[in-house]
Amino acid sequence: MTRIPHFAVAALLLGTSSTSALAQGNAAADAIVANAPIVVTAQKREEAITDVPLTVTAYSGETLENIGIDEFDELSAFVPGLNIQEQSANNPGFVIRGITSDSGSAQIAPRVTIYYNGIDVSRSRGSYFDLFDIERIEVVKGPQATLFGTAATIGALSVVTARPTADLGAAFSASYGNYDAIELNGMINGGSDDIAARLAFVYKERDGYIRNVAGEPGTASEAIVGIDQDDLNGIEQFGLRGSLRIFPTDDSTIDLVLTYEQQRNSGTAFKSGSIPPTGGDTSPFSFAELGGSPFSETVLGIRDLGLEREVFDASLTFNAPLTDTLSLTSITGYRRFDSLETFDADGSALFYLEFAEDAEGEQMSHETRITYDGDRFRGFAGFNLFHEDGTQRVPFSTDEGTYIACAPFGAFAPIQANLSAALGGADPCVAADGTLNAPLATALLTGGGATVLPYRSVFQNGGKNSSYSVFADGTLDLGRLELTAGLRYVYEERRSSYSATQPGSAIFAGFGAPGVALLGAADTNGATFSAEDSFDAWLPRFNALYRITDDINVYATVSKGRRAPVIDLSALATAGGTVPDVTLVASERVWNYEGGIKADIDGFFGSVGVFYQDYSNFQTSFFEEGTGQIVPVNAGKASNFGVEVEAAYQVVPELRLFANYAYIDAEIDAPAAGGATQFVGSRFRLQPEHSASAGAQFAIDISDGAEFFLTPTVTYQSRVFFEVPNTPLTSEDGYVLVNLRGGVSFGDGRYEIVGFARNLFDEDYLIDAGNTGGAFGTPTFIAGEPALYGIEIGMRF
């Protein structure tokens, strides 16, 4: 294996499947030159990336470490057309070419496939995992149903972990940085020609970078919340992976991989843009005053903000040749997640919008694939079974008077007018000078009978989904021309469930309106409603590759993607009682047309891809006013045109430069028949029109057995809208981030000292805006990471 810039402790830990390969010296020229072609398996066989008629970006684990990537959001800055938003480990948003997959609802299908060792783990609340001990990552753009299954509506992200080898070795690294950041990484590997095992772990801990003053003496929340809270956006997470590889014969392998991960992260900094903390302002980059509900302890068993999440994953993969041209692959997987996140959705000291999300799910899958590799024809065929069962439970609590004083809903306007009059004409929620009037509302509305009236409701949706598919894909090699066609047939059974506990308001009962709920949803009176249906689809792809020379290829592709229909289930109050309210949101469909050129010539690698996508029944979602629930809708027709460019050049043996750029123009064009028009003209959320990154990998020998290395990188993205429909308030202007990683290795690469900095110039930027609070009159904003820097030491044995 060719090494690049440095072994980087973590290059050993994260990117190398053989520790002995790193013991061959550390000469800078050997370390940085990458003449071997990049090999990927996007088409279920090993191929040079230039020979794949798709737009693919691939990184080895070593390269990830050289750049300093160990989380998904850091990866996305270096892949054109990919954007990954990590609002929290419980709520990652995976975006490929403007298409976002981040819904927590168990009823809604993912759009972007996340593969972990060949297993689809795309369900949002279970899809996050730490990038430690990685062999490679491949990002494939465009619909890939034949290659990656039904969730690959618009692309796939495939992560392959490092596999055990017969070599005996171990490695360890430790780092310390600002905000008391600690990270520990380790790996031990060993075995024989018959069986090998590998154990890897990672532990990360960092204080929150947004100070939270909730409960401190002299703050408004001292009396309202009465509890202290940790600083926000901190992390505490742990991952452990055990891998076993058995060699039944010289040409076959059995891989068992078991992974456990957990997070105990502090609360997410949803900071109000209209309600300042005590003595502060509404800037998302200054301190906040967020507190969990004192009522949440009886609802959830906890009262602090934060995330408690656990994920267990198991996979068993068997690869074996059947004949000289036929081989068999069998992949069986199981994954379970359980997460509980408590968050302050109003982003202020008010006891107003205190939410939690209690999500859990499990999935089982199996795929069997037969591959043929002949002189003129190669291809594969197989079947896939997938089943998942999950729930999303959303408790909500508030003080009734505060909610009535602050919620911007017409039904509350007369009461708010009375409150304003009682306050001398001041705003009943927050006065112009920042004074919190809402905590007075309950006393005013009850004539002094109560100062706080805790109110709670609980909503739960569930999804039990099964899919069965058969697929085939073949490539005819005509010399310089290759033609590929593939087809998947999928049959799905989808079952949605829903229940709600939504009591009547005590304050409204006092005004002679018993049974009125503060949120618009109906109470199911203890019942759980369900609805089910079945669907099927045919999903093709067609590709052509032409070799202009041995080093330059052009390609074209046409493919179809599809997102499953949504059985959107809620409850409806009628004169005869509460009944199920079922809406079928039509299947989203996209045709993708794409072409490009790839070249690998004398140390230069480059690719240019151009695509156009045509969507029908474009599915989006928004917070329904007054209910606090995410509602899926058919936004109509949409289109997407884009250009993606990648390049890398070996200037001299000691220096390699790389860069990428993406232009993506994606927006909703026309409403669905009889549908709402407010989405028309909006750009896809979380997708910048322009994004780019560039960097350099430099390494030079400084003495016998020692080298100096440096990897500076810069990333840019233009304006992003966080919500649909688009509004300037919930957007972020373009910004540039600079990162730096460098150090020295010695002892022939066995030891290393590294310094690193992310967001070197401490640029202020947002990673989200609007959020749940936006539907209730108080949009919230989440700050991106400030400058994070530190030092890392590592060793291998």
Side-chain angles (χ1 to χ4, degrees):
M1 179 180 292
T2 302
R3 294 198 308 132
I4 47 181
H6 59 287
F7 100 150
V9 178
L12 177 62
L13 299 178
L14 305 184
T16 304
S17 57
S18 172
T19 56
S20 63
L22 294 171
Q24 299 173 1
N26 72 319
D30 292 336
I32 199 168
V33 176
N35 290 324
I38 302 171
V39 176
V40 297
T41 58
Q43 296 194 115
K44 309 306 178 186
R45 57 182 177 266
E46 292 188 351
E47 299 174 288
I49 196 169
T50 51
D51 292 333
V52 179
L54 304 168
T55 304
V56 183
T57 300
Y59 285 107
S60 70
E62 293 165 299
T63 301
L64 297 177
E65 268 308 304
N66 291 326
I67 302 174
I69 294 172
D70 62 1
E71 295 180 3
F72 276 123
D73 60 339
E74 297 165 355
L75 169 70
S76 64
F78 298 94
V79 179
L82 176 69
N83 184 23
I84 301 175
Q85 177 206 59
E86 285 186 15
Q87 189 184 94
S88 82
N90 195 47
N91 190 25
F94 293 91
V95 186
I96 291 183
R97 292 178 172 172
I99 299 299
T100 303
S101 191
D102 66 349
S103 174
S105 170
Q107 301 177 358
I108 299 176
R111 275 171 162 156
V112 176
T113 295
I114 312 301
Y115 260 51
Y116 182 68
N117 290 324
I119 305 294
D120 182 344
V121 297
S122 306
R123 177 60 56 190
S124 176
R125 299 307 181 253
S127 62
Y128 175 86
F129 50 90
D130 217 324
L131 300 180
F132 69 103
D133 203 33
I134 300 299
E135 179 180 303
R136 71 180 182 277
I137 293 178
E138 300 176 17
V139 182
V140 187
K141 284 156 278 187
Q144 304 298 336
T146 304
L147 303 177
F148 288 100
T150 57
T153 305
I154 203 62
L157 193 157
S158 176
V159 178
V160 179
T161 61
R163 299 305 168 91
T165 67
D167 303 290
L168 179 63
F172 176 78
S173 72
S175 68
Y176 179 79
N178 58 333
Y179 297 99
D180 286 333
I182 297 172
E183 181 172 343
L184 305 175
N185 256 298
M187 177 277 293
I188 184 169
N189 180 96
S192 66
D193 292 337
D194 297 319
I195 187 171
R198 188 181 187 99
L199 184 67
F201 76 90
V202 63
Y203 175 79
K204 296 178 180 178
E205 180 180 324
R206 190 198 67 221
D207 292 344
Y209 56 80
I210 299 294
R211 181 186 169 205
N212 190 7
V213 300
E216 292 185 4
T219 62
S221 59
E222 180 183 14
I224 299 171
V225 180
I227 52 176
D228 293 329
Q229 296 286 343
D230 291 334
D231 290 339
L232 305 167
N233 292 356
I235 61 172
E236 182 182 347
Q237 56 192 52
F238 170 73
L240 180 67
R241 182 189 305 119
S243 305
L244 182 69
R245 169 163 278 192
I246 301 171
F247 301 89
T249 67
D250 291 342
D251 299 323
S252 61
T253 57
I254 298 174
D255 285 292
L256 175 65
V257 182
L258 304 177
T259 306
Y260 171 79
E261 292 199 41
Q262 72 168 32
Q263 285 82 30
R264 296 293 185 267
N265 298 346
S266 64
T268 301
F270 294 102
K271 187 171 178 184
S272 172
S274 56
I275 307 173
T278 304
D281 56 39
T282 56
S283 167
F285 310 106
S286 60
F287 67 84
E289 191 173 2
L290 278 62
S293 162
F295 197 52
S296 64
E297 191 164 18
T298 59
V299 181
L300 301 169
I302 62 169
R303 64 190 305 171
D304 291 342
L305 302 175
L307 171 66
E308 296 182 4
R309 178 178 180 268
E310 293 183 297
V311 179
F312 172 75
D313 185 278
S315 65
L316 181 67
T317 303
F318 174 62
N319 285 290
L322 300 177
T323 68
D324 290 342
T325 56
L326 289 175
S327 60
L328 170 70
T329 299
S330 172
I331 306 174
T332 302
Y334 173 80
R335 190 174 182 88
R336 184 181 71 244
F337 69 89
D338 189 348
S339 65
L340 172 58
E341 185 166 22
T342 304
F343 56 97
D344 187 336
D346 59 85
S348 76
L350 293 176
F351 183 12
Y352 178 26
L353 303 175
E354 314 304 327
F355 279 92
E357 182 186 23
D358 186 4
E360 59 182 49
E362 64 178 348
Q363 65 173 64
M364 293 161 282
S365 63
H366 175 79
E367 180 168 304
T368 292
R369 188 169 64 243
I370 301 290
T371 301
Y372 176 81
D373 192 357
D375 292 335
R376 288 292 183 182
F377 180 81
R378 57 185 182 270
F380 58 87
F383 67 88
N384 180 277
L385 314 173
F386 182 87
H387 175 77
E388 65 174 351
D389 189 355
T391 58
Q392 180 194 38
R393 179 172 173 264
V394 182
F396 162 72
S397 64
T398 189
D399 166 48
E400 286 199 27
T402 298
Y403 185 87
I404 292 171
C406 294
F409 306 137
F412 300 161
I415 302 177
Q416 290 171 350
N418 291 335
L419 285 171
S420 179
L423 294 167
D427 187 300
C429 184
V430 182
D433 63 358
T435 301
L436 301 182
N437 287 331
L440 305 174
T442 296
L444 292 172
L445 293 172
T446 60
T451 56
V452 177
L453 281 177
Y455 178 92
R456 70 169 180 175
S457 61
V458 180
F459 305 93
Q460 179 169 308
N461 66 73
K464 184 176 289 187
N465 309 310
S466 298
S467 69
Y468 312 90
S469 63
V470 292
F471 54 88
D473 194 278
T475 299
L476 181 63
D477 188 345
L478 301 174
R480 289 200 174 277
L481 176 66
E482 288 187 1
L483 300 175
T484 299
L487 182 67
R488 179 184 292 260
Y489 171 75
V490 59
Y491 173 79
E492 292 180 310
E493 296 173 346
R494 304 187 68 84
R495 181 178 186 271
S496 294
S497 62
Y498 177 83
S499 65
T501 301
Q502 174 77 319
S505 161
I507 287 179
F508 271 89
F511 282 103
V516 174
L518 292 185
L519 298 180
D523 192 325
T524 63
N525 299 310
T528 298
F529 298 140
S530 64
E532 58 187 278
D533 206 341
S534 60
F535 313 94
D536 68 347
W538 295 90
L539 302 171
R541 78 160 180 147
F542 306 95
N543 300 84
L545 176 76
Y546 183 75
R547 298 182 177 89
I548 299 175
T549 70
D550 291 341
D551 302 316
I552 303 174
N553 298 331
V554 293
Y555 67 92
T557 180
V558 178
S559 56
K560 183 182 180 182
R562 169 228 186 225
R563 190 188 199 189
V566 181
I567 304 174
D568 181 29
L569 182 63
S570 58
L572 183 66
T574 68
T578 305
V579 298
D581 184 18
V582 183
T583 301
L584 184 66
V585 182
S587 170
E588 177 180 299
R589 299 175 188 274
V590 56
W591 279 98
N592 179 73
Y593 308 93
E594 190 165 346
I597 184 169
K598 300 180 181 182
D600 191 351
I601 306 171
D602 295 332
F604 171 81
F605 171 80
S607 69
V608 178
V610 180
F611 65 87
Y612 176 77
Q613 295 167 337
D614 185 16
Y615 289 87
S616 57
N617 301 326
F618 185 80
Q619 294 179 6
T620 190
S621 57
F622 66 99
F623 287 102
E624 189 174 48
E625 185 174 296
T627 70
Q629 298 184 92
I630 300 176
V631 180
V633 296
N634 181 348
K637 293 181 65 62
S639 61
N640 190 1
F641 171 77
V643 180
E644 296 166 339
V645 181
E646 293 185 87
Y649 179 55
Q650 196 78 47
V651 182
V652 293
E654 296 82 10
L655 177 63
R656 183 171 182 263
L657 305 178
F658 60 91
N660 68 61
Y661 167 76
Y663 167 79
I664 296 179
D665 183 18
E667 67 176 37
I668 299 170
D669 298 324
T677 61
Q678 70 264 36
F679 306 106
V680 175
S682 288
R683 287 186 54 82
F684 292 1
R685 58 186 293 263
L686 295 178
Q687 179 58 58
E689 187 173 12
H690 303 275
S691 60
S693 67
Q697 297 173 310
F698 175 75
I700 187 170
D701 291 335
I702 54 177
S703 67
D704 211 17
E707 73 175 31
F708 168 78
F709 51 85
L710 188 67
T711 305
T713 60
V714 59
T715 65
Y716 166 77
Q717 71 169 42
S718 62
R719 190 178 195 181
V720 169
F721 291 96
F722 296 110
E723 302 282 0
V724 174
N726 300 159
T727 65
L729 177 64
T730 54
S731 68
E732 171 62 288
D733 291 335
Y735 58 87
V736 175
L737 301 180
V738 177
N739 308 311
L740 185 64
R741 184 179 180 89
V744 294
S745 66
F746 47 94
D748 289 329
R750 290 182 175 84
Y751 308 98
E752 188 172 72
I753 301 175
V754 182
F756 59 87
R758 296 200 300 269
N759 190 6
L760 180 65
F761 299 113
D762 202 23
E763 176 77 8
D764 288 341
Y765 65 100
L766 297 175
I767 61 170
D768 209 353
N771 304 300
T772 305
F776 296 89
T778 174
T780 57
F781 302 83
I782 304 176
E785 291 181 342
L788 299 176
Y789 48 84
I791 189 169
E792 180 183 90
I793 59 172
M795 60 195 73
R796 67 170 179 81
F797 310 95

